[in-house]
DNA sequence: CTTGCCCACATGTAGACAGCATGTC
DNA sequence: CTACATGTGGGCAAG
């Protein structure tokens, strides 16, 4: 037991008082262990404990210690949403004179300006990008916190995290490193890579009972409990939970299942409500949320969600708009929503605990491999959402089994099972393409020897045999040389430096450059350029479904406009994605796009966001190599940003004018800035309202 | 003739980071 | 390439 008061040995009194004011009297056991192991004496630590065991506070203590003695800390998280959540939380240190900055792709300030903060929160990619772009303050860090460091195991994003940590440790040799991890089998291995002490514990602030539900029986280790049964375990468990005044989080393996489950439960839950008299207020809550959801747009998804929240139930997946997700999350926190059926979005993301968690399917579709049982680590991630500290006496989580033998299997494998080891994915070719280039471009290595030394300091080299890595490195370097991004002696070319800073896959750059070079300008249309960026590995193309027969026709019709693509399956996906973007910049309504392409509104935004980034990068490449398409590409970039037709481009330069107002002005005859200049303020006000009109007039005057 | 049920068969499958430069309705 | 849950439409019997 360590009293919070004891922290005054290492920290100023005002820090301790801040926590005391928040009601904290003593440290949790794993926290105390971390402090004893030298958290506040600059020791590197890897803390591997369950969710909600107080990892964040440990990071806070270390960062405050540094901040109050003039040091700077970087806190790395895997998600943008998490970055804003942490930034908001750390902002309470303003009273101590500690400033907090946020840096992620969607919320950006000037990089150098960020250095004025003592704590900076960033996504791993952004942190990497800050290094690539040469932000100076990043060479002067006292503390590095890496949240969810077990993501080193992720194929997509693990290598970025790994390289970022490696680079930061190299340029800040004295920096304290604090890794925060879920429980994994080989935490010691990760710790040793970081030269860190390991703090490992299974302690939780709220008891968690894990079990398996089967035929109306809740099976816990050494104990079974039966609940009122109507032969539908899902409905029974939900009714039971709500009957106790609790909330439940249900994890599904597909969006469709999440939506179907939510719809089904909404019917059940609202029927219960209708029976109870004091629930008048609840009903009003429901209709308030109903309106709020509908206000975000009346897409199919939106309407379905609105219908569900009316009954106090919601679904949650990446097809939702971020506004819609926010409504669901907030509604659940406030208790207006009792049940969320979610895809894994919620498992990895925000802190949204519930009394009970139901994992309805522990299998997940993995393309060629069919349905695969999820790793224990992911199970823990989901189960760990059960139990709200201070609110629930305990949390309960359940897997769902259809038979006795399956129930026993699940007990063995998940409830009693140990999480897996994590493995570096750095030897994957796409990862190396990106990161070898940036290593050379940022001067972390200047020749083959230095590169070898650098690679030797990665987690991969620490953990695994290097022969596979060496072979891939060879291949990748050849590609980079052939693409003129590095010279024969591995020195970066200006093109290579540009690609590294743009943060795109070198292969994406290669595809863009090759196609722009070989293509005759006369045959280049908007569709050509849209297709071009969908061909790059940085674009996640849409799937082809049975109802997508039109795509083949679309390809035939516009044959000459497409870039060369040998693989017809890819071609279909690329063409479909390009078609979506074409609709988007033709000002087609979101609802219509969602319908035509069978995607959620959130997917549309994501495709557009990625496309905008890639179009910008294509523009920079065209500009740098003088490929002749620069102007057109930048215009397209702008159109993708706003989702607007070509005739609006000049109007969009005006602040306060987006796609909607620009179209209104255009329809009213104000088709250009000159036309607007000739008009009277009152007439413009007629179209866009007096306030905006005034703003517009002021800008016109300034420009003239 | 309608309704309800079972079966065979078709269908579709999680998530989300980055550049740049500041403000949509 | 490996599975699975869900939705759909036809066939059939009961009402």
């Amino acid at each position: 037991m360590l009293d919070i008061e004891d922290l005054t040995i290492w920290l100023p009194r005002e820090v301790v008082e801040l926590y005391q004011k928040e009601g904290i009297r003593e440290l949790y056991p794993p926290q105390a262990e971390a402090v004893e192991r030298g958290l506040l004496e600059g020791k590197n630590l890897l803390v591997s404990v369950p969710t909600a065991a107080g990892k964040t506070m440990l990071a806070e203590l270390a960062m405050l210690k540094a901040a109050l003695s003039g040091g700077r800390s970087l806190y790395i998280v895997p998600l943008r949403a998490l970055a804003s959540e942490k930034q908001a939380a750390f902002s309470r240190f303003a009273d101590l004179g500690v400033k907090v900055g946020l840096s992620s792709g969607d919320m950006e300030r000037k990089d150098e300006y960020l250095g004025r903060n003592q704590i900076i929160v960033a996504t791993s990619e952004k942190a990497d990008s800050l290094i690539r772009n040469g932000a100076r303050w990043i060479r002067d860090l006292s503390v590095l916190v890496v949240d969810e460091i077990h993501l080193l195991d992720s194929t997509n994003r693990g290598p970025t995290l790994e390289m970022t940590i490696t680079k930061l440790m190299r340029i800040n040799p004295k920096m304290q490193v604090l890794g925060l991890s879920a429980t994994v089998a080989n935490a010691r291995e990760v710790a040793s890579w970081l030269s860190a002490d390991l703090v490992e514990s299974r302690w939780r602030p709220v008891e968690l009972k894990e079990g398996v539900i089967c035929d109306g029986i809740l099976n816990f280790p050494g104990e079974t409990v039966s609940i009122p049964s109507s032969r539908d375990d899902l409905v029974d468990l939900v009714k039971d939970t709500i009957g106790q005044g609790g909330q439940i989080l249900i994890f599904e393996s597909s969006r469709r299942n999440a939506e179907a489950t939510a719809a089904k439960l909404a019917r059940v839950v609202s029927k219960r409500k209708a029976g109870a008299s004091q629930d008048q207020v609840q009903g009003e809550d429901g209709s308030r949320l109903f309106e709020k959801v509908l206000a975000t747009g009346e897409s199919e998804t939106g309407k379905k969600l609105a219908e569900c929240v009316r009954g106090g139930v919601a679904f949650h997946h990446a097809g939702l708009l971020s506004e819609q997700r926010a409504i669901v999350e907030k509604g659940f926190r406030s208790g207006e929503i009792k049940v969320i059926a979610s895809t894994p979005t919620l498992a990895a993301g925000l802190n949204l605990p519930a009394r009970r968690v139901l994992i309805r399917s522990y299998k997940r579709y993995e393309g060629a491999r069919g349905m695969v049982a999820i790793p224990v680590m992911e199970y823990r991630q989901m189960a760990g959402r059960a139990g709200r500290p201070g609110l629930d006496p305990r949390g309960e989580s359940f897997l769902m089994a259809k038979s006795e033998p399956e129930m026993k299997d699940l007990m063995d494998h998940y409830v009693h099972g140990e999480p897996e080891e994590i493995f570096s994915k750095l030897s994957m070719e796409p990862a190396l393409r990106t990161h070898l280039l940036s290593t050379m471009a940022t001067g972390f290595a200047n020749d083959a020897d230095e590169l070898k030394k650098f690679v030797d300091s990665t987690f991969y080299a620490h953990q695994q045999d290097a022969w596979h890595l060496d072979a891939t490195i060879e291949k990748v370097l050849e590609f980079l040389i052939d693409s003129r991004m590095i010279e024969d002696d591995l020195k970066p070319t200006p093109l290579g430096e540009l690609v590294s800073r743009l943060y795109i896959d070198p292969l994406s750059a290669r595809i863009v450059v090759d196609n722009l070079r070989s293509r005759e300008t006369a045959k280049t249309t908007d569709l050509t350029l849209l297709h071009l960026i969908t061909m790059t590995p940085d674009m996640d193309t849409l799937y082809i479904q049975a109802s997508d027969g039109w795509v083949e026709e679309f390809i035939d019709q516009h044959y000459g406009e497409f870039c060369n693509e040998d693989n017809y399956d890819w071609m279909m996906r690329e063409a479909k994605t390009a078609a979506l973007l074409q609709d988007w910049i033709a000002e087609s309504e979101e609802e219509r796009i969602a319908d035509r392409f069978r995607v959620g509104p959130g997917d549309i935004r994501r495709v557009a966001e990625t496309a905008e980034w890639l179009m910008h990068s294509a523009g920079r490449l065209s500009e740098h190599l003088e490929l002749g398409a620069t102007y057109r590409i930048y215009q397209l970039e702008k159109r993708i940003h706003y989702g607007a037709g070509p005739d609006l481009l000049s109007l969009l330069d005006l602040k306060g004018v987006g796609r909607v107002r620009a179209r209104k002005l255009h329809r009213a005859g104000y088709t250009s800035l000159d036309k607007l200049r000739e008009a009277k303020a009152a007439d413009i006000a007629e179209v866009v309202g007096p306030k905006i009109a005034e703003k517009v007039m002021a800008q016109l005057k300034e420009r003239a």
Side-chain angles (χ1 to χ4, degrees):
Chain A
M1 236 17 109
L2 190 65
D3 198 288
I4 184 99
E5 195 67 33
D6 299 336
L7 294 179
T8 46
I9 302 173
W10 301 279
L11 289 162
R13 172 142 290 278
E14 64 248 44
V15 172
V16 173
E17 277 169 3
L18 181 122
Y19 286 102
Q20 284 173 331
K21 251 184 240 157
E22 289 169 7
I24 293 168
R25 295 284 166 266
E26 57 191 29
L27 295 182
Y28 292 151
Q31 291 175 331
E33 191 185 336
V35 171
E36 278 156 22
R37 297 238 184 177
L39 175 77
L40 299 171
E41 287 151 14
K43 287 262 180 61
N44 290 356
L45 287 180
L46 181 73
V47 181
S48 172
V49 296
T51 342
K55 284 182 281 213
T56 309
M57 183 176 159
L58 288 176
E60 290 177 3
L61 294 175
M63 295 192 298
L64 284 174
K65 170 102 201 288
L68 295 174
S69 52
R72 190 167 16 237
S73 309
L74 176 62
Y75 191 107
I76 293 183
V77 292
L79 301 173
R80 291 171 179 182
L82 235 36
S84 5
E85 195 186 55
K86 294 297 176 197
Q87 192 245 3
F90 299 157
S91 299
R92 68 192 203 282
F93 303 144
D95 297 344
L96 301 172
V98 176
K99 281 188 276 179
V100 182
L102 171 65
S103 186
S104 73
D106 58 352
M107 218 179 293
E108 171 69 10
R109 297 186 192 173
K110 258 287 170 262
D111 295 349
E112 288 302 333
Y113 173 85
L114 266 177
R116 289 202 235 158
N117 300 294
Q118 286 80 51
I119 296 176
I120 295 135
V121 185
T123 55
S124 38
E125 285 74 13
K126 191 67 200 190
D128 187 15
S129 168
L130 287 166
I131 300 173
R132 295 185 187 198
N133 286 286
R136 258 169 306 163
W137 56 266
I138 213 150
R139 299 179 171 267
D140 180 25
L141 292 177
S142 308
V143 176
L144 170 68
V145 181
V146 185
D147 205 353
E148 316 275 357
I149 198 172
H150 54 270
L151 289 175
L152 284 170
D153 189 69
S154 152
T155 314
N156 292 332
R157 302 178 56 204
T160 301
L161 185 59
E162 182 173 342
M163 289 302 268
T164 305
I165 296 170
T166 307
K167 287 176 182 170
L168 287 172
M169 291 204 298
R170 168 156 300 211
I171 50 184
N172 296 285
K174 288 185 186 159
M175 172 182 73
Q176 176 183 20
V177 181
L178 177 60
L180 309 177
S181 174
T183 32
V184 299
N186 57 339
R188 191 159 298 282
E189 201 168 22
V190 180
S192 114
W193 173 53
L194 299 172
S195 315
D197 253 24
L198 177 63
V199 176
E200 209 170 14
S201 164
R202 293 195 70 168
W203 185 91
R204 282 176 48 104
V206 191
E207 184 199 351
L208 173 63
K209 285 182 80 173
E210 295 170 64
V212 183
I213 184 170
C214 184
D215 288 335
I217 309 281
L218 310 180
N219 302 273
F220 296 107
E223 180 193 8
T224 59
V225 178
S226 63
I227 55 170
S229 168
S230 67
R231 293 190 31 218
D232 186 335
D233 286 345
L234 167 73
V235 171
D236 296 337
L237 187 70
V238 169
K239 279 185 179 169
D240 186 66
T241 311
I242 295 178
Q244 294 176 17
Q247 290 170 295
I248 183 165
L249 215 50
I250 302 167
F251 287 108
E252 296 278 359
S253 61
S254 75
R255 292 179 181 187
R256 199 175 54 164
N257 290 358
E259 292 186 12
T261 298
K264 177 171 155 188
L265 292 174
R267 287 195 295 273
V268 175
V269 173
S270 54
K271 209 184 278 172
R272 277 177 70 86
K273 268 190 194 163
S277 58
Q278 88 280 27
D279 276 339
Q280 207 65 14
V281 185
Q282 285 283 337
E284 281 168 24
D285 282 356
S287 58
R288 196 182 64 85
L289 287 179
F290 176 82
E291 297 297 339
K292 270 180 88 175
V293 171
L294 278 189
T296 62
E298 303 202 11
S299 59
E300 202 56 38
T301 316
K303 283 191 263 184
K304 273 189 199 160
L305 182 63
E307 210 48 61
C308 288
V309 294
R310 179 138 70 178
V313 178
F315 55 86
H316 192 286
H317 58 62
L320 297 184
L321 292 173
S322 51
E323 303 95 280
Q324 295 168 334
R325 289 203 221 180
I327 293 171
V328 172
E329 289 152 11
K330 207 171 152 213
F332 196 73
R333 285 208 177 92
S334 72
E336 291 165 271
I337 291 174
K338 305 288 180 205
V339 184
I340 300 181
S342 168
T343 58
T345 14
L346 271 188
L350 296 173
N351 182 26
L352 200 72
R355 177 170 309 174
R356 275 180 171 159
V357 164
L358 174 65
I359 297 155
R360 253 195 101 201
S361 88
Y362 56 93
K363 291 185 173 172
R364 183 178 45 209
Y365 180 78
E366 268 188 20
R369 294 175 54 196
M371 295 301 271
V372 189
I374 59 168
V376 177
M377 216 196 316
E378 282 181 37
Y379 159 75
R380 289 270 164 82
Q381 183 97 262
M382 296 191 266
R385 297 276 138 172
R388 294 166 303 166
L391 291 172
D392 294 319
R394 63 169 172 278
E396 292 181 334
S397 80
F398 303 97
L399 287 147
M400 197 171 240
K402 280 178 289 304
S403 66
E404 194 79 359
E406 188 186 22
M407 189 272 282
K408 293 227 163 72
D409 275 357
L410 294 180
M411 268 306 206
D412 281 354
H413 188 239
Y414 289 110
V415 179
H416 296 298
E418 289 302 317
E420 299 77 6
E421 291 184 274
I422 59 170
F423 289 98
S424 167
K425 302 293 192 295
L426 192 61
S427 66
M428 310 288 281
E429 200 174 320
L432 280 177
R433 257 193 330 249
T434 304
H435 290 295
L436 288 188
L437 175 62
S438 98
T439 301
M440 307 312 295
T442 356
F444 278 89
N446 293 302
D447 55 42
D449 270 1
E450 287 181 21
L451 183 62
K452 175 92 183 101
K453 264 191 210 145
F454 182 82
V455 168
D456 276 345
S457 63
T458 62
F459 180 49
Y460 187 100
H462 186 83
Q463 182 183 35
Q464 298 173 52
D465 236 342
W467 71 266
H468 181 57
L469 187 63
D470 288 343
T472 319
I473 288 178
E474 194 99 344
K475 194 170 158 198
V476 166
L477 289 178
E478 243 166 69
F479 169 79
L480 293 174
I481 292 168
D482 187 55
S483 304
R484 321 253 161 195
M485 296 187 200
I486 55 178
E487 310 277 4
D488 289 333
D489 62 1
L490 307 192
K491 295 264 188 305
T493 63
L495 173 66
E497 284 171 353
L498 176 63
V499 170
S500 167
R501 275 182 280 124
L502 289 171
Y503 212 83
I504 56 176
D505 187 326
L507 180 56
S508 296
R510 173 73 180 258
I511 291 170
V512 167
V513 171
D514 284 357
N515 278 285
L516 287 181
R517 274 217 175 102
S518 65
R519 207 171 170 87
E520 289 168 49
T521 336
K523 289 183 184 165
T524 301
T525 64
D526 290 349
L527 184 58
T528 311
L529 296 170
L530 291 175
H531 177 225
L532 176 57
I533 58 166
T534 65
M535 290 172 78
T536 67
D538 281 308
M539 176 65 89
D540 295 323
T541 50
L542 301 171
Y543 291 103
I544 296 295
Q545 293 157 307
S547 53
D548 287 333
W550 60 269
V551 176
E552 291 188 59
E553 279 171 54
F554 181 72
I555 294 172
D556 287 346
Q557 272 167 19
H558 298 277
Y559 192 76
E561 296 178 59
F562 287 106
C563 301
N564 290 328
E565 170 62 86
D566 304 331
N567 184 321
Y568 197 70
D569 288 341
W570 293 0
M571 183 66 204
M572 298 260 288
R573 295 181 58 170
E574 292 160 12
K576 183 179 173 185
T577 313
L580 184 147
L581 288 166
Q582 205 180 33
D583 280 11
W584 169 252
I585 61 175
E587 294 170 55
S588 191
E589 282 159 14
E590 256 172 16
E591 289 93 276
R592 277 185 49 201
I593 301 180
D595 198 50
R596 178 175 179 204
F597 296 88
R598 308 207 167 202
V599 293
D603 300 304
I604 302 172
R605 301 273 180 98
R606 210 171 23 259
V607 170
E609 187 187 13
T610 307
E612 188 191 345
W613 162 54
L614 290 171
M615 198 58 86
H616 173 80
S617 301
R620 294 285 297 275
L621 289 168
S622 166
E623 193 175 2
H624 176 77
L625 297 172
E626 299 180 0
L627 301 175
T630 314
Y631 180 70
R632 293 190 63 162
I633 291 177
Y634 283 147
Q635 295 235 308
L636 261 183
E637 180 198 355
K638 196 161 150 196
R639 289 182 57 196
I640 296 171
H641 177 79
Y642 288 101
D647 44 350
L648 299 185
L649 278 165
S650 60
L651 296 175
L652 290 170
D653 282 337
L654 295 165
K655 287 175 191 172
V657 176
R659 68 190 288 200
V660 176
R661 286 175 185 151
R663 182 50 68 198
K664 275 187 186 166
L665 288 168
H666 196 274
R667 260 202 284 269
Y670 306 111
T671 51
S672 68
L673 294 182
D674 282 334
K675 288 247 171 78
L676 273 175
R677 260 185 213 108
E678 290 162 17
K680 287 199 180 103
D683 294 333
I684 301 178
E686 201 74 5
V687 185
V688 290
K691 273 211 171 140
I692 299 294
E694 198 181 311
K695 221 170 152 183
V696 168
M697 293 309 279
Q699 288 177 69
L700 290 171
K701 214 175 271 171
E702 221 172 89
R703 279 157 185 271

